[in-house]
Amino acid sequence: MRYAETGYNLEIDLATGNIERVETDPKMMETHLGGLGTSIKIHWDRVPPEVKPFDPENLLIFSTGLLNGTPAFSANRAVVTFVSPQSDLLAYPMMGGFWSAELKYAGYDKVIFRNKSPKWVYLWINNDKVELRDASHLQGRGALETQDLIRKELKEPKAQVAAIGLAGENRVFTASIEQSRSSASRLGGGAVMGDKMVKAIAVRGTKDVNLARGEEFMEHMKGVTEYINFRNANPIKDVMTILSGIGSPQEMVHTDEKWHTENFAWGNARTRRRDFWTKENEANWTSTQKGAVKRLISCMNCPQHCGALVSHGGGPYYMMKCFGKLTYSMAAYVDDLGFNFRILQKATEYGVDSFSTPQILAFAVELYEAGILTDKDFEGTSTYEASPTDKEGRFFWLLDRVARREGIGDVLADGVYFAARKIGNGAEAFDHNTIKKHEQLPLKLGMMDPLYYLMYSTNEKISITQIEGQWPQTPFPTKEQREDFVRDWPQLPDDHFKQYLLDWELRGENSNPYYPTPDMAAEIVDWMEMLHNIDDACCICCGMSSFCLKPPYHIHNYPKIISAASGLDLDEGKLKKIVNRNRNLHRAYNNRRGMTRADEKPPEDHWKRRFPEHEELLLSTYYKFKGWNMDGVPTREKLEELDLGYVADDLEKRGILKHGQD
């Protein structure tokens, strides 16, 4: 009997329509756990670096994690892996909701798509019955509309459906995969799904997921439950509101947006409006949000309420979560939050990433204001009218053009990096918020931060919201506050981290950019990304572990919980080795696709004050700590330590790793 995992993947050959239920090797779980870990291994084995994002050989893998479908709180993520059309690297956006648990209950750990369908299809999984169904009648339908239509067609209201909208059909590089309460949004998974002519995946499952040691598992979950209840009753003091609790940033619960609106940049990541959160704006935004939020909602088996069912001004109902609440208003310089609720509904139906897409639209507006784009780029045709001149109307018009790949939207649909180079005439200078060709959250502060420099630069996620985590974002102003914070901090991997925080100050020698020191910074970042990699293998929401301060899941209880669920005999050292193996295999995969040290730099104006020599020292120190050479490639010694000698052989054969060292 297999525990925690089902032991079966679905293999779908879209070119032939062949569907196989394939039993997996139990050793895969032992070496890579599940979720992202085992998906990386499949990509390494089956997708060579010569494969391009829109080649038939690019796999699109939907994966559950090791703890999906178990009673573990917040084990509800599905991880989607593919070679990204935006970065040309292995991407892995994740979505919450109920879809991943439903797939596990249907009896599968992963759905693996290869090749391309000759016509539009959707996949229907109903336990052992799996079929590709015609989706020609769904072409052009919205991502949310498609989900409803499929459930009605199947006469299965409980089916969980992941679907693309028009943006995915048109291979927009920021196209998302939408499902119920969540979406897999970053780096163009919807575009790859559309390229393969897959409109949706519907799943209904009623099978059991087995636990190796159920009673022991539930005892561990009692401890997690007690801690969740404690934290909900005792928010962390002296930090911003959204960081004081647990779960994904609960933007639907909280209305205080002073920190976001005054510290994040508006427009094309250009302007900080330090005096925005006036009493008038606070009152307007609060009343707008409370009027639009009809009900707070949770993902599968989660006690928190990070999302909401919303409807603004009598408009259509849809699900909203997290920072998407603000992105369009801030990008368009529209002070009315209601605009964001209106345009986000349309963007969700189109199926586009709500972090990247507003940046792309703001980039177009900025190019127009600079005279690089002209009235000709905003004129109408026989199929659509010219752009309105007001801020709101112009953003709606640009969103339509991008999702439909019409006119200037066809250029913008490839994202800021590629659009800037295609437009030329100085447009490249306006591409100032991408890393590895991917739009970042518009957070541009004053002083270079050593921790964030490393997280932005080096992580395979390429998205700061999925990299940062358990270390506070800024030092506490007073010694007393620091002492109070470290007093109860059992989540730390080692107590010496407490001293790092106690010595961290707002100003002086022990402040940014030289503190935490490069050695400390490498160690802290390694700890945070380790937790993310455990989460991503288990498909636990990072809001309950790696992303938030003092979370319920951490390195000291994770091995016990995973062992009781799976039957593996894990201690902290063994678990660290597994996820370190996953991290290095992912790194080597992207090295094999051409990623080098030269790619690992934030834009020049990412902070006002930069320190090039110190930044290079940070990068070199981090590489050394990770066991990588000075080009960011894992050495043979590191790879063999992680039982990845075959990876070193491949890298050496390709000339990426020379003699195993620098």
Side-chain angles (χ1 to χ4, degrees):
M1 181 181 289
R2 304 287 279 271
Y3 297 109
E5 63 176 355
T6 70
Y8 292 94
N9 292 339
L10 272 178
E11 292 267 0
I12 315 294
D13 187 334
L14 292 165
T16 64
N18 187 55
I19 299 172
E20 291 183 87
R21 178 175 178 259
V22 179
E23 186 173 3
T24 58
D25 185 347
K27 290 184 179 179
M28 280 280 278
M29 181 177 72
E30 296 174 15
T31 54
H32 298 282
L33 286 187
L36 177 62
T38 46
S39 290
I40 293 170
K41 173 61 173 169
I42 293 170
H43 281 278
W44 176 273
D45 289 343
R46 294 172 53 179
V47 186
E50 297 77 22
V51 171
K52 300 302 180 186
F54 294 134
D55 286 349
E57 297 81 6
N58 186 14
L59 296 181
L60 177 65
I61 303 178
F62 288 73
S63 182
T64 68
L66 192 60
L67 295 178
N68 283 138
T70 75
F73 287 120
S74 307
N76 50 48
R77 263 37 192 175
V79 58
V80 187
T81 49
F82 51 91
V83 175
S84 165
Q86 196 169 32
S87 67
D88 199 41
L89 304 173
L90 182 61
Y92 62 108
M94 301 206 293
M95 56 188 181
F98 288 73
W99 191 93
S100 59
E102 203 74 30
L103 182 64
K104 203 80 164 284
Y105 295 145
Y108 310 100
D109 296 314
K110 299 181 191 291
V111 178
I112 303 173
F113 291 105
R114 64 181 186 272
N115 295 325
K116 300 184 183 185
S117 172
K119 62 178 184 178
W120 282 104
V121 295
Y122 74 87
L123 183 68
W124 169 223
I125 305 168
N126 186 8
N127 291 329
D128 295 335
K129 182 181 179 181
V130 184
E131 58 181 324
L132 286 168
R133 297 172 64 107
D134 178 69
S136 57
H137 60 299
L138 299 172
Q139 187 176 0
R141 300 287 192 172
L144 304 182
E145 181 186 15
T146 295
Q147 296 173 44
D148 290 336
L149 289 171
I150 287 176
R151 279 188 281 265
K152 290 177 183 177
E153 180 176 309
L154 296 172
K155 297 182 174 58
E156 183 50 82
K158 293 184 178 180
Q160 294 299 314
V161 185
I164 59 171
L166 200 59
E169 293 181 18
N170 291 324
R171 303 197 311 184
V172 174
F173 283 13
T174 61
S176 58
I177 302 167
E178 300 290 332
Q179 64 88 21
S180 185
R181 292 157 167 75
S182 190
S183 62
S185 300
R186 307 294 265 158
L187 291 162
V192 175
M193 190 164 163
D195 180 64
K196 293 186 177 298
M197 302 284 279
V198 177
K199 181 65 176 178
I201 311 169
V203 59
R204 179 75 177 110
T206 57
K207 298 182 181 182
D208 293 329
V209 174
N210 299 307
L211 297 175
R213 302 190 293 273
E215 186 176 353
E216 177 187 330
F217 183 90
M218 294 310 296
E219 280 299 314
H220 291 310
M221 293 313 301
K222 283 182 181 178
V224 172
T225 303
E226 290 171 1
Y227 184 80
I228 291 172
N229 292 337
F230 169 78
R231 277 296 309 277
N232 283 337
N234 297 276
I236 292 176
K237 297 183 294 184
D238 302 321
V239 298
M240 65 189 76
T241 304
I242 62 166
L243 295 181
S244 63
I246 51 177
S248 295
Q250 295 183 38
E251 292 288 313
M252 300 299 102
V253 176
H254 301 304
T255 59
D256 181 359
E257 294 296 349
K258 178 178 177 61
W259 191 85
H260 277 143
T261 58
E262 296 190 346
N263 286 282
F264 281 29
W266 292 60
N268 182 24
R270 292 287 190 185
T271 308
R272 290 171 68 190
R273 299 173 68 183
R274 300 307 298 267
D275 57 352
F276 175 79
W277 199 245
T278 61
K279 289 185 177 180
E280 180 182 3
N281 283 334
E282 179 181 11
N284 289 339
W285 280 39
T286 299
S287 63
T288 297
Q289 179 173 329
K290 288 185 175 181
V293 172
K294 305 307 177 185
R295 178 165 58 89
L296 295 173
I297 57 176
S298 304
C299 294
M300 167 72 179
N301 198 26
C302 182
Q304 306 305 98
H305 300 96
C306 303
L309 178 67
V310 300
S311 171
H312 177 70
Y317 282 74
Y318 66 104
M319 306 293 182
M320 180 186 282
K321 65 181 181 65
C322 204
F323 191 58
K325 181 182 81 176
L326 311 177
T327 50
Y328 283 94
S329 285
M330 292 181 67
Y333 287 102
V334 172
D335 292 357
D336 174 23
L337 185 62
F339 163 69
N340 207 101
F341 281 96
R342 293 194 304 275
I343 195 170
L344 186 58
Q345 186 276 329
K346 191 170 191 179
T348 305
E349 281 286 17
Y350 278 145
V352 287
D353 174 10
S354 62
F355 281 23
S356 286
T357 308
Q359 289 292 293
I360 295 167
L361 308 187
F363 164 76
V365 172
E366 193 170 44
L367 291 186
Y368 178 73
E369 292 172 346
I372 297 173
L373 293 180
T374 67
D375 288 337
K376 185 174 178 59
D377 297 298
F378 287 77
E379 65 185 10
T381 69
S382 59
T383 56
Y384 58 85
E385 296 181 351
S387 169
T389 57
D390 65 290
K391 294 177 181 178
E392 294 188 15
R394 188 163 50 185
F395 252 58
F396 272 105
W397 185 88
L398 282 167
L399 176 63
D400 290 343
R401 302 290 78 74
V402 168
R404 298 175 182 276
R405 277 195 177 270
E406 295 174 334
I408 188 61
D410 189 35
V411 177
L412 297 172
D414 289 348
V416 170
Y417 177 89
F418 291 108
R421 282 144 187 84
K422 189 168 185 178
I423 294 168
N425 195 30
E428 297 90 341
F430 294 81
D431 167 27
H432 63 97
N433 198 38
T434 62
I435 298 175
K436 297 171 185 170
K437 306 180 179 66
H438 179 50
E439 296 83 10
Q440 297 298 310
L441 199 68
L443 178 59
K444 288 173 174 276
L445 302 179
M447 180 71 73
M448 191 279 291
D449 183 315
L451 299 178
Y452 278 76
Y453 175 83
L454 289 177
M455 289 188 287
Y456 270 117
S457 300
T458 64
N459 198 276
E460 312 308 331
K461 184 72 176 184
I462 325 177
S463 174
I464 194 64
T465 56
Q466 293 294 310
I467 301 166
E468 64 181 337
Q470 295 191 30
W471 190 260
Q473 292 187 352
T474 57
F476 294 99
T478 70
K479 181 181 178 181
E480 290 72 24
Q481 288 172 316
R482 296 194 288 273
E483 289 174 341
D484 185 58
F485 187 84
V486 304
R487 188 172 292 114
D488 180 26
W489 204 1
Q491 293 86 350
L492 286 173
D494 193 284
D495 272 357
H496 71 260
F497 282 82
K498 292 182 180 179
Q499 197 60 49
Y500 296 167
L501 190 129
L502 287 170
D503 293 340
W504 191 26
E505 299 177 342
L506 284 170
R507 295 174 182 82
E509 292 183 0
N510 283 2
S511 65
N512 291 357
Y514 299 112
Y515 192 95
T517 67
D519 288 328
M520 294 175 187
E523 194 177 7
I524 294 168
V525 170
D526 179 74
W527 161 45
M528 290 197 289
E529 70 184 21
M530 173 188 68
L531 264 295
H532 277 288
N533 276 274
I534 298 173
D535 291 349
D536 297 345
C538 296
C539 284
I540 293 277
C541 172
C542 67
M544 283 292 193
S545 174
S546 51
F547 185 79
C548 62
L549 302 174
K550 300 185 177 182
Y553 296 110
H554 48 79
I555 189 56
H556 304 307
N557 64 8
Y558 250 144
K560 300 172 186 176
I561 293 168
I562 294 170
S563 295
S566 66
L568 295 174
D569 182 22
L570 295 181
D571 57 21
E572 292 180 21
K574 290 178 181 178
L575 180 57
K576 288 177 181 178
K577 183 175 182 179
I578 292 173
V579 295
N580 201 14
R581 180 184 297 128
N582 293 343
R583 171 75 163 102
N584 277 268
L585 184 60
H586 197 162
R587 162 63 52 152
Y589 186 89
N590 284 340
N591 291 144
R592 198 165 66 161
R593 295 195 65 83
M595 188 185 73
T596 69
R597 183 183 184 121
D599 299 302
E600 303 211 298
K601 296 184 187 303
E604 288 186 8
D605 69 343
H606 202 82
W607 295 279
K608 284 185 178 180
R609 298 188 62 188
R610 297 292 294 269
F611 302 82
E613 290 185 7
H614 189 63
E615 291 170 16
E616 290 299 320
L617 177 61
L618 280 165
L619 204 55
S620 295
T621 304
Y622 173 81
Y623 283 176
K624 184 177 180 181
F625 182 89
K626 298 294 289 186
W628 301 345
N629 68 20
M630 287 301 104
D631 207 23
V633 182
T635 63
R636 173 172 283 281
E637 180 182 7
K638 171 54 68 173
L639 292 169
E640 289 184 343
E641 173 190 316
L642 298 170
D643 308 313
L644 295 173
Y646 66 92
V647 175
D649 293 341
D650 184 89
L651 295 180
E652 287 184 0
K653 182 179 178 180
R654 295 176 184 276
I656 297 169
L657 191 60
K658 296 177 175 61
H659 308 295
Q661 300 301 323
D662 292 352

